[in-house]
Amino acid sequence: MKKYFIDCKSVDYNGLSVRVCGAFPSSRTIFFSSGKKTGKKGILSLYRSALEAVANGWNVAYIPGLPSSAAIEMGVYEKEGGSLFAFIPMGMGSVSRSLLSRCLVTGGGVISVVEDEATFSMEALNGACSVAATVSDATLVATENLRITPNYLVSALDEGRCVGVLESALNGKSARNLVRDGALTVSTLSGLLLSPRYITYPDKNGKYAIMGERFTLMDVERYEKR
């Protein structure tokens, strides 16, 4: 199979050389920290959260290739205005055209913290998560089997940055520890926002659908004035 050329640039981030194709997150970005064990409830919550993020003027950062990835992407694509940033645990040489297209079409990008020809490793995964959480204004944790609290989440709480834990993730001891240490427990992203203009709610005839459930975006400001 013929290889294709990826036009990347190097960005210096806190002394770390980061490889970027497309844009690099600048502001109003939320990192969705999910994992292999993100059940249906968590995936639905991430989909709704992605809808809410874009509707409220936020961008979304995530790790592609996980069970929740498609739901996150779908939520971003449903509304115009939000960018999608994929932080990958591998080199740019492993990136598919499809992933590039899915991010670039939103005005986002693909970001790697390892050499272009590097393959997947847990060290690379931890590095991708760490950079994604550090460059984002907030992190939403959706991993049900979070056994050890990652350093980047501890640092985020210590620095006063916003960390939320989805209700579906509270089966994990470390997720409960995060709440004990100051993280907020929420059902979707709007629970982290001080004054969300839009939230999602189930509606049999809703416009947005995933996994057999339909959702409608509700304008909170307009709703409250009724």
Side-chain angles (χ1 to χ4, degrees), residues 34-39 43 46 63-72 211:
S34 58
K36 289 184 176 180
K37 290 189 178 180
T38 302
I43 290 173
L46 286 173
I63 306 295
L66 296 171
S68 58
S69 297
I72 293 170
M211 298 179 74

Side-chain angles (χ1 to χ4, degrees), residues 4 23 32 56 61 69 90 99-100 111 119 123 142 149 171 224:
Y4 60 96
F32 290 167
N56 286 286
S69 297
M90 62 190 75
L99 176 59
L100 279 174
I111 299 96
T119 56
E123 183 180 0
T149 306
N171 291 329
E224 290 177 346

Side-chain angles (χ1 to χ4, degrees), residues 44-115:
L44 282 169
S45 295
L46 286 173
Y47 169 73
R48 294 175 60 186
S49 295
L51 277 172
E52 292 174 347
V54 176
N56 286 286
W58 284 73
N59 302 313
V60 174
Y62 77 126
I63 306 295
L66 296 171
S68 58
S69 297
I72 293 170
E73 293 170 0
M74 287 174 62
V76 172
Y77 299 153
E78 293 279 15
K79 298 284 292 180
E80 294 184 3
S83 297
L84 185 67
F85 297 96
F87 285 78
I88 58 172
M90 62 190 75
M92 286 294 187
S94 303
V95 177
S96 67
R97 290 178 185 267
S98 176
L99 176 59
L100 279 174
S101 298
R102 295 198 300 273
C103 294
L104 295 180
V105 74
T106 67
V110 178
I111 299 96
S112 173
V113 298
V114 295
E115 296 296 325

